Every structure is written in C-alpha cells, then in structure tokens.
Amino acid sequence: MLRAAAAADQLAILALARADSLPAFASDGVLSSSEVFSQQLVTGLSNGMIIALIAIGYTMVYGIVELINFAHGDLCMLGAFFALTAVGAFALEGAGGAGGTAGLVALLLATAAFCGALNWSINRLAYRPLRSASKLSLLVSAIGASFVLVNLGLFWGGLPMEVFAGGTSAAAPKAFPALVEPKPAFTVGDVIVSRPDVLVLAVTVPLMLALTWLVRFTKLGKAMRAVAQNPTAASLMGIDVERVIGATFFIGGALGGFATVVYSIYNQTVGFQMGYRMGMDAFIAAVLGGIGNLPGAVLGGLVIGVVRAMSDGYVEARWTNAIVFGLLILILVFRPSGLLGAKLREKV
Amino acid sequence: MSAAPLLRVANLKCAFGRAEVLHGVHLEVHAGEIVSLIGANGAGKSTTLMSISRIHRQATGCIEFDGRSIAGMAPEQVVRLGLVQVPEGRRIFPRLTVRENLEMGAFTRTDRAGIAEDIDRMCGMFPILRERAGQLGGTLSGGEQQMLAIARALMSRPRLLMMDEPSMGIAPLLVAQIFRTVRDVLRAQGVTILLVEQNANAALRMSDRAYVLETGNVALSGTGAELLRDERVRAAYLGH
C-alpha cells in the first residue's frame, strides 16, 4: 500500500512534469524497470486517449472542409479556463461522493457545450466567409483565430479570481484542482491504474463509440459523409451544406471540450499556452492516423501518447517534443497518407 | 400548353469572373413534358442547369418554378420545391453504400416508411441496385452509377427532374435501356423532364420539345420532330 501510494505520487509528479515541460525523472529507484515501462505505458495510453479525442475534432473538420484548424488546440485551452472558472464558481473542488460525480458530469457537459458553441462561432466568423476562397486563405484565417484565442486565454488568465491559485501573472500556469484524486483505482499485477486513468477511459471510450454511431447510422452522420465526399452533390440532394459543416464544427469542438476537462484533471495544470501543445499533439496524431480518418485519429493519438510517455520516461522530457515532431516529419516523408489513410483521393 | 409553365427561365445570365457564359437564356418547361437542351461542348448547357439549381448563385435573371421565383433561393430550398437535378458526371457519393446514396436522395423527406418503400421501388426499376445495395457507390460501373444517380434524384419525389448528360461515358446499349426506363417510369408518375444531352439524336427522339443552345444563347427551339428535320440542326448536331 505504501509502495502504491509512492507510485501514485510519482504518477502525479510525472503528470505535472509533463504539463510544465520540466525534466521528468526516470530512474528514481522506487520502481523496477519493467514497472516503469508498464506505468509509463498506462500514462501514455491515458494521455493518448485524450489526444485522440482532440484529434477527432481536427480530423472531422479536415474531412469536411479540408482545413487544418490550427485554432483547435487553443479552443481546448479556453475550454480549460472555462472549466477552471466553473470549478471555482460552483465550488466543485472537494465535493465528494454522488454530489462530486454529478458536478463532474455537469462540468464535462458544460465545457463541451462551451467549446462546441465556440468552435461553431469560429467557423461562422472566420471560415465560412472564406468558403470559396483558396485553401491557403482559410489556413491563414485559422492561424489568426488561434492567435485571437491565445490572447483571450491570456486575458482570462489575468482575471483577478481566487480560484486561479497559480499566481497573479496572467501568463502563469494555474493549478487545476484534482477533482478526481490521483489515487490508485486498482492494480494489474504491479501496474497501478489510477482513478484519473479510469476517468479518461470512462469519458473517452463512450464518446468515441457514440461518435461512431452518429457518423455511421444517423441522418446527420450520413449527411456529414456526403458533404465531405461531394459538397455540390450534397447540395443537389437538398442538404444544407453550411448547416452540416456547422454541426461538424460543433461536435468536434464539443469533443475537444470533454477532452480538455479530462486533460486538466489528469495533468492538474492549465495555462494560456497549453493549447499549442494539445493542438500540435492532436494534429500529429491526426496526420499519423491519416487525416480525415476517424479510427486513424484514435490510433494516432494512442501512438503519440505512448511515444511521449516513453520519451519522458526513458530519454528526457526536454527531448520529447523533438522526438514527436521528428515522428511527424518521418510520417510526412514516408507515409504522407498516414497509417490508415487512403493511398489516393478518390476522383468521382 | 395554355397553362403557365412549370419552369420558366428568362434572361438568365451567368458569369465566371469576367467571362460571361450565359448571355440571357430563355426556356420554358410545361408540366408533363420532356424537354431537351442540346448544343455543343461549352455552349452553356450544364451552366444553365447549375444556375437553375442555384449552385451557381451568381447567375442573374428570372427563374420561376411553379409560378414562384426561385432566383434568390438556396440550392436545398429548390430541391424541397421538387426541382431536382441529376448532375453531369453522376456525382454519386463514392464512399457511401448504394443504399445510403439513395437515402441521401431522400434527405428532404421525413416519412421513413415512404422512403423505405421508394428505395424498394427504385430497386425494382433498376434491379442491379438491389444486388449492390450494400456496396460502396464508388465500386459501381459507370452505367450502374448513372442508374444510381437517377434513382437517388427520384428519391426526393421531384416534380421536375433535370438530367445532365445521362449518356456520357456509358455503353450505347445501356443508354437506350436507361432512357427507355426513365421515360416510361416518369411518364407513368407524371414527372416532368428537362434533359441536357450531347447525343442530340437520342434526345430529340424522346423529347416533346427542345432548345438548341449556342455559346450562351438559345439559337433555335421547336418540337423534337421539327428540330430533327431542321437543316441547321442536322448539319451541326446530327452529323448529316
């Protein structure tokens, strides 16, 4: 039990180290090497599932409007500030038991709605007016939207709120309360699965299943695929293409909202610059899996999560970004269509 | 022909950038008619249909369907009124199944039972669609895709069906079969047809009336039989 607690502490420290890009310590001596590996694997898979959920938002938007939505990670960052503010406003911290669970569910739903609505609005204001313009104009607009969101985050972080325990500076990282305490939930052999790990699974897996159902079987899902494959033909079927695109942005944003709450609880830190990291990881995951491909985004997310964790654990955390971006370059050179992407785009 | 036309297009102009492609097209289609629009490549036939469907929103002029102006409408509103197009090149959804393609054709409808019934009816009209119901649209042959495209458009229960080059890239034998099926079925259901064709001979034979489009203007019009006899049409489009 003592050892478990020590490992859990280490888990929390590792999590913080990742968030702050501080050097992680791999050879603490507390855990044996195979345990370190397994523990890093669990952490990597959990972070990977979060990255995957964000990557789905990237890949859905790309699939339907062929836009790399560079504002997506920053959207998640604002979602984290929204969640942090809500936690303070409704005193969700420390409310255990059924009330705590209900509060957590409400927080997830509210943040998802916030991010969904925000993503819908960004599309409406920054992308939709450029629908017939070149893809490059759209991309530049996405980068602009990203800057706007980052500055909104900086502004939000500077608000004088007691809940932001991270100091008075707007740019300082804020501590996100451990709504789900980083305690062990259960162990598999010597590997500890923490309660935040369980939270990650409990949120991401049902959402991915629900999204799969939506895309495959509902009228909206089929319309989304139809618009992605041939917007003109979709128009000629009586599909309001812009409405379907708007719905796609909302759903992608909402998934990012769910992801950002789980991310914040898991990593216990939020800051205005976190969106860059989240967005880049998700972007690389989406490209790795094959951009526009939903299962690919999940696979890519898991790979990136595990690669990050292993790099943190066995190399050094400061090398992790270089390794992940190196991976991106390798994909772009050797398999630009990604692991699950189609080799060629179909010509209709 | 005394009643008001189902579709009336007057002074339709459409430009891409500075290049004006349609210079003021006039045409009318009455309920129950089969009207064809023939002309050479680049005459503006497809542009005319895309302007009527409101895909080319920059088009100006008068477009009235069933007595109301649709010139300011969005494409999906036009479909809801019953004016539906089978576009050039078929444009089926390659990674939706045949059945899903048909379901998308019925997007504007909400009567589930009626949609299922109509899918069954389409599969009766084109039995190959029943065989291929679970296959991806992109795996069909050109002729099968054309059948799917026509069936998909009919799923919306149109009053006027505009078909753009249904014979393009399809074996001649299959073309005749598709044309016959379409004419018989639509006649029976009272669907009006505006047909764009490069195959002027086949088009004029099945049409009540026709318009000849030349570089963005209607050059000639008349009944199918009249145009088949017309010297200018014979020389330019029928190869006699």
Side-chain angles (χ1 to χ4, degrees):
Chain A
M1 190 60 218
L2 248 179
R3 226 181 56 158
D9 280 342
Q10 194 189 19
L11 200 70
I13 292 163
L14 277 175
L16 279 171
R18 272 193 316 277
D20 291 341
S21 295
L22 292 170
F25 40 93
S27 49
D28 182 70
V30 178
L31 300 173
S32 76
S33 65
S34 77
E35 284 167 339
V36 170
F37 177 83
S38 307
Q39 210 59 64
Q40 289 297 79
L41 189 65
V42 170
T43 308
L45 289 174
S46 283
N47 268 322
M49 285 299 272
I50 299 171
I51 294 169
L53 204 55
I54 302 170
I56 287 173
Y58 249 110
T59 222
M60 281 174 83
V61 162
Y62 184 86
I64 207 155
V65 288
E66 290 184 21
L67 163 71
I68 304 291
N69 183 12
F70 275 116
H72 194 62
D74 304 305
L75 174 90
C76 295
M77 175 273 295
L78 276 192
F81 276 109
F82 174 87
L84 185 57
T85 308
V87 167
F90 297 100
L92 296 178
E93 191 180 355
T101 308
L104 183 56
V105 170
L107 181 69
L108 282 162
L109 292 175
T111 309
F114 171 80
C115 286
L118 187 58
N119 213 27
W120 185 90
S121 311
I122 293 168
N123 169 55
R124 191 72 189 76
L125 295 172
Y127 306 149
R128 186 170 157 175
L130 294 169
R131 201 70 80 212
S132 53
S134 80
K135 296 286 180 232
L136 191 61
S137 311
L138 206 56
L139 196 67
V140 171
S141 192
I143 293 167
S146 164
F147 286 150
V148 170
L149 295 185
V150 167
N151 280 284
L152 282 175
L154 204 50
F155 172 76
W156 202 329
L159 294 178
M161 289 186 194
E162 294 74 15
V163 289
F164 295 164
T168 48
S169 159
K174 323 286 179 219
F176 196 94
L179 296 180
V180 174
E181 286 180 74
K183 286 181 183 163
F186 57 89
T187 55
V188 183
D190 284 330
V191 180
I192 297 149
V193 177
S194 72
R195 295 177 61 193
D197 290 321
V198 174
L199 171 74
V200 170
L201 279 185
V203 172
T204 55
V205 172
L207 284 174
M208 288 172 190
L209 292 176
L211 181 74
T212 307
W213 172 79
L214 180 130
V215 169
R216 286 185 64 173
F217 298 117
T218 66
K219 193 170 178 178
L220 173 63
K222 290 171 194 172
M224 283 162 61
R225 286 186 283 147
V227 170
Q229 291 171 33
N230 196 325
T232 304
S235 244
L236 290 173
M237 298 298 105
I239 297 171
D240 185 340
V241 169
E242 283 302 337
R243 208 167 156 182
V244 172
I245 292 174
T248 306
F249 271 87
F250 183 90
I251 293 167
L255 292 177
F258 282 110
T260 202
V261 172
V262 180
Y263 180 97
S264 303
I265 292 171
Y266 200 77
N267 293 315
Q268 297 179 11
T269 307
V270 304
F272 81 101
Q273 82 290 28
M274 71 192 276
Y276 176 75
R277 242 287 300 279
M278 295 171 92
M280 272 304 158
D281 278 354
F283 169 64
I284 296 168
V287 172
L288 177 61
I291 192 132
N293 183 308
L294 291 177
V298 176
L299 179 65
L302 289 175
V303 171
I304 297 298
V306 170
V307 167
R308 267 198 176 281
M310 292 306 163
S311 167
D312 284 351
Y314 289 99
V315 188
E316 234 184 300
R318 60 178 157 173
W319 285 103
T320 297
N321 278 337
I323 288 170
V324 171
F325 280 95
L327 188 62
L328 174 65
I329 293 170
L330 287 179
I331 304 159
L332 291 176
V333 170
F334 291 107
R335 201 175 159 87
S337 57
L339 296 174
L340 301 184
K343 285 249 158 48
L344 286 170
R345 286 189 63 80
E346 284 97 338
K347 290 248 156 60
V348 185
Chain B
M1 290 301 136
S2 54
L6 184 57
L7 175 69
R8 192 172 81 85
V9 174
N11 200 27
L12 183 66
K13 292 181 181 177
C14 186
F16 299 94
R18 282 191 199 162
E20 194 177 81
V21 174
L22 302 180
H23 309 301
V25 169
H26 296 260
L27 63 87
E28 288 183 357
V29 182
H30 292 264
E33 275 189 312
I34 298 181
V35 173
S36 58
L37 188 58
I38 60 173
N41 253 339
K45 306 186 296 291
S46 296
T47 306
T48 303
L49 292 200
M50 283 299 191
S51 300
I52 296 172
S53 281
R54 299 287 302 140
I55 297 291
H56 294 334
R57 295 203 193 193
Q58 74 272 33
T60 61
C62 163
I63 313 169
E64 282 174 11
F65 185 68
D66 201 15
R68 62 200 275 202
S69 170
I70 59 170
M73 286 188 182
E76 61 272 11
Q77 292 173 294
V78 174
V79 174
R80 279 178 195 278
L81 293 178
L83 177 49
V84 178
Q85 183 184 163
V86 183
E88 184 179 11
R90 307 177 284 268
R91 288 181 185 259
I92 58 147
F93 302 114
R95 277 160 288 139
L96 294 189
T97 64
V98 167
R99 171 170 271 276
E100 286 171 339
N101 267 281
L102 292 174
E103 286 170 7
M104 283 299 102
F107 187 83
T108 53
R109 294 167 58 184
T110 50
D111 55 323
R112 283 176 155 234
I115 293 170
E117 215 170 87
D118 277 6
I119 289 181
D120 210 50
R121 216 158 45 82
M122 293 308 149
C123 293
M125 185 156 99
F126 299 118
I128 193 77
L129 297 183
R130 194 190 303 281
E131 262 173 60
R132 305 252 193 271
Q135 252 173 262
L136 293 186
T139 65
L140 301 189
S141 74
E144 290 164 358
Q145 289 191 4
Q146 188 61 59
M147 293 183 214
L148 176 58
I150 294 169
R152 183 180 66 173
L154 289 175
M155 286 299 297
S156 63
R157 297 210 168 154
R159 297 171 62 197
L160 197 163
L161 187 67
M162 301 190 286
M163 290 195 276
D164 195 349
E165 303 268 9
S167 72
M168 197 169 64
I170 299 174
L173 213 65
L174 206 54
V175 171
Q177 188 205 327
I178 293 176
F179 274 16
R180 256 198 316 278
T181 311
V182 167
R183 189 182 53 195
D184 295 348
V185 170
L186 299 194
R187 277 259 152 100
Q189 291 172 17
V191 179
T192 306
I193 299 178
L194 176 57
L195 174 70
V196 160
E197 256 302 334
Q198 273 206 316
N199 183 345
N201 198 5
L204 291 177
R205 279 178 201 288
M206 72 179 273
S207 300
D208 299 306
R209 290 188 307 111
Y211 293 87
V212 179
L213 206 58
E214 267 172 18
T215 58
N217 289 297
V218 172
L220 281 170
S221 65
T223 67
E226 279 167 11
L227 291 179
L228 274 171
R229 286 192 304 270
D230 189 283
E231 279 310 316
R232 288 164 295 178
V233 173
R234 288 171 71 90
Y237 303 106
L238 301 177
H240 298 292

